Amino acid sequence: MKHLLLAMALGAASLTAADASAQTAKPTVVLVHGAFADASSWNGVIRILEQDGYPVVAVANPLRSVASDGAYVGDLVSSLGQPVVLVGHSYGGSVITEAARDKSNVKALVYVAAFAPEAGETAAGLSGKFPGSTLGPAIAPPVKLASGGNDLYIQQDKFHHQFAADVPKAEAALMAATQRPITEAALNEKSGAPTWTSIPSWFVYGDKDLNIPPKALAFMAERAKSRNTEVVPGASHVVMVSHPDVVARQIERAAEAK
């Protein structure tokens, strides 16, 4: 009888510990880069999140199409089987808006200098909704694709000023050389129904963004009823590279919110 009672007590203790662990487990943060960048653009943010105990996955965003990129990221989200905070930079915001659809494990969306489109809107259209974007003249001659359409890059000699003005010049030069192109069609593809209407959102961006005008970013944050919006003085479009601490803090706010 004593052995039976001991076993029952140990079992109950084990279940209690498991329940406590489940309640305190941190959500997985899924980071989605945008155009003219790659997953390494999140490196500084990843270091902070992992130090604070968050599981992190930085996705290699294909940058081919809003719908197909959203499906690609959505498949990853479904495979995780645990709560997720979806974070998108720039065009990656359009992607996470798609990827979160019908995903019950997505608890929050974080837009980092990112598009948060309404149904029928495009990244290109939102960039031009307010004055201030100088991206157009910085784009290199399009690369014709054998499959049809064009790939777009930023001219390397204009990359630092246009994309990453508050990043050291040598680091920006590496980013320019390793930038990943986006299809012209993706920037002009209409978005589906927004998920920020039903999933809480957070926004962070710089007031010196030359790709997406700060007024456009403020408009999208207000429209999405952002739980918290952080505007970083002097920050460029790659605020997650130049201010990883601010971006990580915003992601953690979203992760900890009830």
Side-chain angles (χ1 to χ4, degrees):
M1 178 64 75
K2 288 182 179 180
H3 292 302
L4 178 60
L5 291 173
L6 179 60
M8 291 174 64
L10 289 172
S14 177
L15 287 172
T16 301
D19 289 343
S21 177
Q23 290 172 4
T24 59
K26 295 179 183 291
T28 296
V29 178
V30 175
L31 304 167
V32 182
H33 68 81
F36 319 118
D38 65 15
S40 69
S41 60
W42 296 110
N43 283 354
V45 173
I46 292 169
R47 290 188 190 100
I48 296 169
L49 292 175
E50 289 187 338
Q51 183 177 350
D52 292 344
Y54 287 90
V56 182
V57 179
V59 183
N61 187 2
L63 305 176
R64 302 292 87 187
S65 152
V66 174
S68 65
D69 295 343
Y72 178 83
V73 174
D75 288 344
L76 172 67
V77 169
S78 294
S79 75
L80 293 173
Q82 55 190 303
V84 164
V85 174
L86 259 180
V87 184
H89 171 243
S90 192
Y91 165 80
S94 297
V95 174
I96 67 170
T97 302
E98 290 286 318
R101 190 170 297 114
D102 300 322
K103 301 295 185 295
S104 60
N105 60 324
V106 176
K107 66 167 291 181
L109 299 169
V110 182
Y111 292 89
V112 180
F115 296 108
E118 176 63 272
E121 291 180 334
T122 69
L126 285 165
S127 285
K129 190 175 181 68
F130 296 89
S133 176
T134 56
L135 178 61
I139 295 293
V143 175
K144 296 290 184 183
L145 301 174
S147 58
N150 299 314
D151 256 355
L152 302 180
Y153 293 83
I154 293 177
Q155 298 174 55
Q156 290 195 26
D157 62 346
K158 294 182 178 179
F159 190 95
H160 186 205
H161 172 73
Q162 176 62 41
F163 201 69
D166 58 344
V167 173
K169 189 173 182 179
E171 184 177 356
L174 289 174
M175 292 171 63
T178 59
Q179 67 178 292
R180 292 186 54 209
I182 187 167
T183 64
E184 187 174 15
L187 295 177
N188 291 283
E189 182 179 342
K190 292 181 179 180
S191 181
T195 49
W196 42 259
T197 57
S198 57
I199 301 173
S201 62
W202 281 254
F203 285 70
V204 55
Y205 60 89
D207 67 1
K208 298 299 182 184
D209 194 319
L210 297 181
N211 271 36
I212 307 175
K215 285 185 177 180
L217 293 162
F219 163 76
M220 289 184 281
E222 183 176 356
R223 179 175 66 178
K225 296 180 171 53
S226 170
R227 291 277 190 94
N228 180 269
T229 300
E230 184 96 9
V231 182
V232 185
S236 71
H237 189 56
V238 288
V239 63
M240 71 287 191
V241 177
S242 58
H243 296 275
D245 54 334
V246 177
V247 173
R249 183 170 66 243
Q250 190 74 322
I251 293 169
E252 291 186 3
R253 285 193 187 106
E256 294 165 3
K258 302 300 184 185

